[in-house]
mmCIF file of all heavy atoms in Angstrom:
data_model
loop_
_atom_site.group_PDB
_atom_site.id
_atom_site.type_symbol
_atom_site.label_atom_id
_atom_site.label_comp_id
_atom_site.label_asym_id
_atom_site.label_seq_id
_atom_site.Cartn_x
_atom_site.Cartn_y
_atom_site.Cartn_z
ATOM 1 N N VAL B 11 36.646 46.513 7.830
ATOM 2 C CA VAL B 11 37.799 47.385 7.569
ATOM 3 C C VAL B 11 38.303 47.124 6.160
ATOM 4 O O VAL B 11 38.453 45.974 5.747
ATOM 5 C CB VAL B 11 38.958 47.109 8.563
ATOM 6 C CG1 VAL B 11 40.153 47.987 8.217
ATOM 7 C CG2 VAL B 11 38.523 47.348 9.988
ATOM 8 N N ARG B 12 38.523 48.180 5.425
ATOM 9 C CA ARG B 12 39.054 48.091 4.059
ATOM 10 C C ARG B 12 40.376 48.810 3.983
ATOM 11 O O ARG B 12 40.504 49.920 4.469
ATOM 12 C CB ARG B 12 38.075 48.825 3.134
ATOM 13 C CG ARG B 12 37.419 47.986 2.132
ATOM 14 C CD ARG B 12 36.730 48.803 1.068
ATOM 15 N NE ARG B 12 37.264 48.377 -0.205
ATOM 16 C CZ ARG B 12 36.950 47.215 -0.756
ATOM 17 N NH1 ARG B 12 36.075 46.419 -0.177
ATOM 18 N NH2 ARG B 12 37.508 46.854 -1.883
ATOM 19 N N PHE B 13 41.383 48.185 3.388
ATOM 20 C CA PHE B 13 42.629 48.898 3.061
ATOM 21 C C PHE B 13 42.719 48.964 1.546
ATOM 22 O O PHE B 13 43.107 47.991 0.911
ATOM 23 C CB PHE B 13 43.853 48.140 3.575
ATOM 24 C CG PHE B 13 43.921 48.017 5.076
ATOM 25 C CD1 PHE B 13 43.889 46.776 5.681
ATOM 26 C CD2 PHE B 13 44.045 49.151 5.871
ATOM 27 C CE1 PHE B 13 43.969 46.652 7.054
ATOM 28 C CE2 PHE B 13 44.123 49.025 7.244
ATOM 29 C CZ PHE B 13 44.079 47.782 7.837
ATOM 30 N N GLY B 14 42.372 50.083 0.981
ATOM 31 C CA GLY B 14 42.408 50.181 -0.480
ATOM 32 C C GLY B 14 41.573 49.071 -1.084
ATOM 33 O O GLY B 14 40.370 48.987 -0.864
ATOM 34 N N VAL B 16 41.918 45.848 -0.381
ATOM 35 C CA VAL B 16 41.845 44.657 0.470
ATOM 36 C C VAL B 16 40.740 44.816 1.514
ATOM 37 O O VAL B 16 40.739 45.779 2.278
ATOM 38 C CB VAL B 16 43.182 44.427 1.211
ATOM 39 C CG1 VAL B 16 43.116 43.159 2.038
ATOM 40 C CG2 VAL B 16 44.332 44.373 0.230
ATOM 41 N N GLN B 17 39.816 43.880 1.517
ATOM 42 C CA GLN B 17 38.802 43.888 2.576
ATOM 43 C C GLN B 17 39.362 43.028 3.703
ATOM 44 O O GLN B 17 39.235 41.800 3.685
ATOM 45 C CB GLN B 17 37.482 43.321 2.043
ATOM 46 C CG GLN B 17 36.327 43.384 3.024
ATOM 47 C CD GLN B 17 35.690 44.759 3.098
ATOM 48 O OE1 GLN B 17 35.431 45.377 2.082
ATOM 49 N NE2 GLN B 17 35.456 45.259 4.308
ATOM 50 N N ALA B 18 40.019 43.688 4.674
ATOM 51 C CA ALA B 18 40.735 42.936 5.707
ATOM 52 C C ALA B 18 39.772 42.302 6.703
ATOM 53 O O ALA B 18 40.006 41.206 7.210
ATOM 54 C CB ALA B 18 41.720 43.841 6.435
ATOM 55 N N VAL B 19 38.669 42.997 7.007
ATOM 56 C CA VAL B 19 37.658 42.472 7.925
ATOM 57 C C VAL B 19 36.292 42.807 7.338
ATOM 58 O O VAL B 19 36.070 43.920 6.892
ATOM 59 C CB VAL B 19 37.788 43.102 9.334
ATOM 60 C CG1 VAL B 19 36.679 42.603 10.237
ATOM 61 C CG2 VAL B 19 39.143 42.798 9.950
ATOM 62 N N GLY B 36 42.465 31.299 12.892
ATOM 63 C CA GLY B 36 42.316 31.574 11.459
ATOM 64 C C GLY B 36 43.670 31.629 10.807
ATOM 65 O O GLY B 36 44.670 31.942 11.458
ATOM 66 N N PRO B 37 43.726 31.295 9.513
ATOM 67 C CA PRO B 37 45.015 31.265 8.813
ATOM 68 C C PRO B 37 45.655 32.652 8.700
ATOM 69 O O PRO B 37 45.017 33.659 9.019
ATOM 70 C CB PRO B 37 44.668 30.707 7.432
ATOM 71 C CG PRO B 37 43.198 30.864 7.292
ATOM 72 C CD PRO B 37 42.608 30.896 8.653
ATOM 73 N N ASN B 38 46.869 32.708 8.231
ATOM 74 C CA ASN B 38 47.590 33.982 8.067
ATOM 75 C C ASN B 38 46.824 34.920 7.155
ATOM 76 O O ASN B 38 46.264 34.511 6.154
ATOM 77 C CB ASN B 38 48.970 33.737 7.463
ATOM 78 C CG ASN B 38 49.888 33.036 8.441
ATOM 79 O OD1 ASN B 38 50.291 31.915 8.212
ATOM 80 N ND2 ASN B 38 50.179 33.693 9.536
ATOM 81 N N GLY B 39 46.798 36.178 7.550
ATOM 82 C CA GLY B 39 46.148 37.184 6.713
ATOM 83 C C GLY B 39 44.638 37.169 6.823
ATOM 84 O O GLY B 39 43.945 37.799 6.032
ATOM 85 N N ALA B 40 44.101 36.443 7.818
ATOM 86 C CA ALA B 40 42.657 36.336 7.940
ATOM 87 C C ALA B 40 42.020 37.624 8.450
ATOM 88 O O ALA B 40 40.808 37.799 8.367
ATOM 89 C CB ALA B 40 42.298 35.184 8.868
ATOM 90 N N GLY B 41 42.828 38.521 9.022
ATOM 91 C CA GLY B 41 42.280 39.776 9.541
ATOM 92 C C GLY B 41 42.169 39.803 11.052
ATOM 93 O O GLY B 41 41.544 40.713 11.623
ATOM 94 N N LYS B 42 42.818 38.865 11.721
ATOM 95 C CA LYS B 42 42.711 38.784 13.182
ATOM 96 C C LYS B 42 43.336 39.998 13.853
ATOM 97 O O LYS B 42 42.732 40.633 14.722
ATOM 98 C CB LYS B 42 43.401 37.492 13.671
ATOM 99 C CG LYS B 42 42.911 36.227 12.995
ATOM 100 C CD LYS B 42 43.617 34.985 13.495
ATOM 101 C CE LYS B 42 45.104 34.936 13.210
ATOM 102 N NZ LYS B 42 45.460 34.735 11.796
ATOM 103 N N THR B 43 44.572 40.310 13.439
ATOM 104 C CA THR B 43 45.248 41.454 14.053
ATOM 105 C C THR B 43 44.514 42.753 13.735
ATOM 106 O O THR B 43 44.410 43.645 14.583
ATOM 107 C CB THR B 43 46.706 41.526 13.579
ATOM 108 O OG1 THR B 43 47.374 40.324 13.974
ATOM 109 C CG2 THR B 43 47.431 42.712 14.176
ATOM 110 N N THR B 44 43.989 42.841 12.513
ATOM 111 C CA THR B 44 43.241 44.038 12.150
ATOM 112 C C THR B 44 42.029 44.208 13.060
ATOM 113 O O THR B 44 41.714 45.315 13.508
ATOM 114 C CB THR B 44 42.812 43.954 10.674
ATOM 115 O OG1 THR B 44 43.963 43.724 9.876
ATOM 116 C CG2 THR B 44 42.135 45.234 10.241
ATOM 117 N N LEU B 45 41.364 43.081 13.353
ATOM 118 C CA LEU B 45 40.220 43.151 14.268
ATOM 119 C C LEU B 45 40.673 43.644 15.645
ATOM 120 O O LEU B 45 40.026 44.498 16.264
ATOM 121 C CB LEU B 45 39.570 41.765 14.389
ATOM 122 C CG LEU B 45 38.385 41.683 15.345
ATOM 123 C CD1 LEU B 45 37.229 42.524 14.823
ATOM 124 C CD2 LEU B 45 37.936 40.236 15.551
ATOM 125 N N PHE B 46 41.803 43.139 16.110
ATOM 126 C CA PHE B 46 42.369 43.606 17.388
ATOM 127 C C PHE B 46 42.612 45.115 17.346
ATOM 128 O O PHE B 46 42.337 45.827 18.314
ATOM 129 C CB PHE B 46 43.689 42.880 17.665
ATOM 130 C CG PHE B 46 43.570 41.793 18.691
ATOM 131 C CD1 PHE B 46 42.450 40.984 18.717
ATOM 132 C CD2 PHE B 46 44.572 41.580 19.639
ATOM 133 C CE1 PHE B 46 42.332 39.977 19.662
ATOM 134 C CE2 PHE B 46 44.463 40.584 20.583
ATOM 135 C CZ PHE B 46 43.344 39.780 20.607
ATOM 136 N N ASN B 47 43.157 45.566 16.219
ATOM 137 C CA ASN B 47 43.443 46.999 16.100
ATOM 138 C C ASN B 47 42.170 47.827 16.186
ATOM 139 O O ASN B 47 42.172 48.929 16.728
ATOM 140 C CB ASN B 47 44.175 47.286 14.789
ATOM 141 C CG ASN B 47 45.622 46.829 14.837
ATOM 142 O OD1 ASN B 47 46.163 46.594 15.928
ATOM 143 N ND2 ASN B 47 46.243 46.699 13.687
ATOM 144 N N GLN B 53 42.812 51.237 14.797
ATOM 145 C CA GLN B 53 42.252 51.254 13.450
ATOM 146 C C GLN B 53 40.782 51.636 13.539
ATOM 147 O O GLN B 53 40.040 51.043 14.314
ATOM 148 C CB GLN B 53 42.402 49.854 12.827
ATOM 149 C CG GLN B 53 41.786 49.715 11.471
ATOM 150 C CD GLN B 53 42.542 50.508 10.427
ATOM 151 O OE1 GLN B 53 43.752 50.434 10.334
ATOM 152 N NE2 GLN B 53 41.820 51.311 9.656
ATOM 153 N N GLN B 85 51.664 41.255 18.326
ATOM 154 C CA GLN B 85 52.170 40.047 17.679
ATOM 155 C C GLN B 85 53.696 40.034 17.652
ATOM 156 O O GLN B 85 54.319 38.997 17.842
ATOM 157 C CB GLN B 85 51.616 39.995 16.254
ATOM 158 C CG GLN B 85 51.796 38.656 15.601
ATOM 159 C CD GLN B 85 50.981 38.558 14.323
ATOM 160 O OE1 GLN B 85 50.131 39.395 14.029
ATOM 161 N NE2 GLN B 85 51.230 37.524 13.549
ATOM 162 N N ASP B 176 47.745 38.855 21.306
ATOM 163 C CA ASP B 176 47.935 38.534 19.892
ATOM 164 C C ASP B 176 49.026 37.483 19.766
ATOM 165 O O ASP B 176 50.213 37.788 19.864
ATOM 166 C CB ASP B 176 48.296 39.804 19.099
ATOM 167 C CG ASP B 176 48.114 39.608 17.601
ATOM 168 O OD1 ASP B 176 48.061 38.438 17.173
ATOM 169 O OD2 ASP B 176 48.030 40.616 16.872
ATOM 170 N N GLU B 177 48.635 36.252 19.569
ATOM 171 C CA GLU B 177 49.542 35.112 19.439
ATOM 172 C C GLU B 177 50.556 35.044 20.592
ATOM 173 O O GLU B 177 51.764 35.133 20.371
ATOM 174 C CB GLU B 177 50.258 35.152 18.081
ATOM 175 C CG GLU B 177 49.258 35.199 16.931
ATOM 176 C CD GLU B 177 49.865 34.824 15.592
ATOM 177 O OE1 GLU B 177 51.009 34.347 15.576
ATOM 178 O OE2 GLU B 177 49.188 35.009 14.571
ATOM 179 N N ILE B 208 44.264 35.735 20.171
ATOM 180 C CA ILE B 208 44.519 35.162 18.863
ATOM 181 C C ILE B 208 45.532 34.055 19.084
ATOM 182 O O ILE B 208 46.553 34.269 19.717
ATOM 183 C CB ILE B 208 45.098 36.218 17.905
ATOM 184 C CG1 ILE B 208 44.109 37.361 17.731
ATOM 185 C CG2 ILE B 208 45.455 35.590 16.573
ATOM 186 C CD1 ILE B 208 44.666 38.523 16.924
ATOM 187 N N HIS B 210 47.286 30.178 17.543
ATOM 188 C CA HIS B 210 47.380 29.144 16.526
ATOM 189 C C HIS B 210 47.468 27.740 17.120
ATOM 190 O O HIS B 210 47.126 26.767 16.480
ATOM 191 C CB HIS B 210 48.607 29.387 15.639
ATOM 192 C CG HIS B 210 48.405 30.495 14.666
ATOM 193 N ND1 HIS B 210 47.369 30.508 13.786
ATOM 194 C CD2 HIS B 210 49.096 31.628 14.445
ATOM 195 C CE1 HIS B 210 47.429 31.612 13.042
ATOM 196 N NE2 HIS B 210 48.464 32.304 13.441
ATOM 197 N N MET B 225 38.244 32.914 11.838
ATOM 198 C CA MET B 225 38.152 33.870 10.736
ATOM 199 C C MET B 225 38.898 33.340 9.520
ATOM 200 O O MET B 225 39.891 32.631 9.635
ATOM 201 C CB MET B 225 38.780 35.216 11.128
ATOM 202 C CG MET B 225 37.968 36.015 12.123
ATOM 203 S SD MET B 225 38.803 37.542 12.575
ATOM 204 C CE MET B 225 38.595 38.507 11.089
ATOM 205 N N GLY B 228 38.991 37.580 6.216
ATOM 206 C CA GLY B 228 38.299 38.739 6.774
ATOM 207 C C GLY B 228 36.912 38.441 7.313
ATOM 208 O O GLY B 228 36.303 39.291 7.948
HETATM 209 N N1 ATP D 1 47.840 48.853 7.532
HETATM 210 C C1 ATP D 1 47.494 48.030 6.529
HETATM 211 N N2 ATP D 1 47.421 48.503 5.266
HETATM 212 C C2 ATP D 1 47.073 47.691 4.240
HETATM 213 N N3 ATP D 1 46.766 46.408 4.376
HETATM 214 C C3 ATP D 1 46.816 45.867 5.603
HETATM 215 C C4 ATP D 1 47.188 46.649 6.732
HETATM 216 N N4 ATP D 1 47.149 45.868 7.829
HETATM 217 C C5 ATP D 1 46.782 44.637 7.397
HETATM 218 N N5 ATP D 1 46.573 44.632 6.067
HETATM 219 C C6 ATP D 1 46.123 43.495 5.257
HETATM 220 O O1 ATP D 1 44.942 43.015 5.840
HETATM 221 C C7 ATP D 1 44.911 41.599 5.815
HETATM 222 C C8 ATP D 1 44.715 41.064 7.202
HETATM 223 O O2 ATP D 1 45.918 41.260 7.954
HETATM 224 P P1 ATP D 1 46.050 40.879 9.492
HETATM 225 O O3 ATP D 1 47.400 41.328 9.937
HETATM 226 O O4 ATP D 1 44.893 41.394 10.228
HETATM 227 O O5 ATP D 1 46.005 39.286 9.435
HETATM 228 P P2 ATP D 1 46.226 38.257 10.616
HETATM 229 O O6 ATP D 1 45.009 37.423 10.656
HETATM 230 O O7 ATP D 1 46.618 38.929 11.870
HETATM 231 O O8 ATP D 1 47.408 37.371 10.039
HETATM 232 P P3 ATP D 1 48.666 36.692 10.811
HETATM 233 O O9 ATP D 1 48.223 35.358 11.301
HETATM 234 O O10 ATP D 1 49.692 36.571 9.743
HETATM 235 O O11 ATP D 1 49.073 37.612 11.894
HETATM 236 C C9 ATP D 1 46.198 41.165 5.169
HETATM 237 O O12 ATP D 1 45.915 40.905 3.796
HETATM 238 C C10 ATP D 1 47.097 42.344 5.293
HETATM 239 O O13 ATP D 1 47.980 42.400 4.208
#
Side-chain angles (χ1 to χ4, degrees):
Chain B
V11 177
R12 244 193 124 73
F13 296 118
V16 183
Q17 185 80 46
V19 177
N38 290 115
K42 306 180 296 289
T43 299
T44 305
L45 178 65
F46 257 39
N47 286 343
Q53 176 69 48
Q85 194 168 349
D176 196 341
E177 304 197 10
I208 299 173
H210 284 304
M225 288 178 73

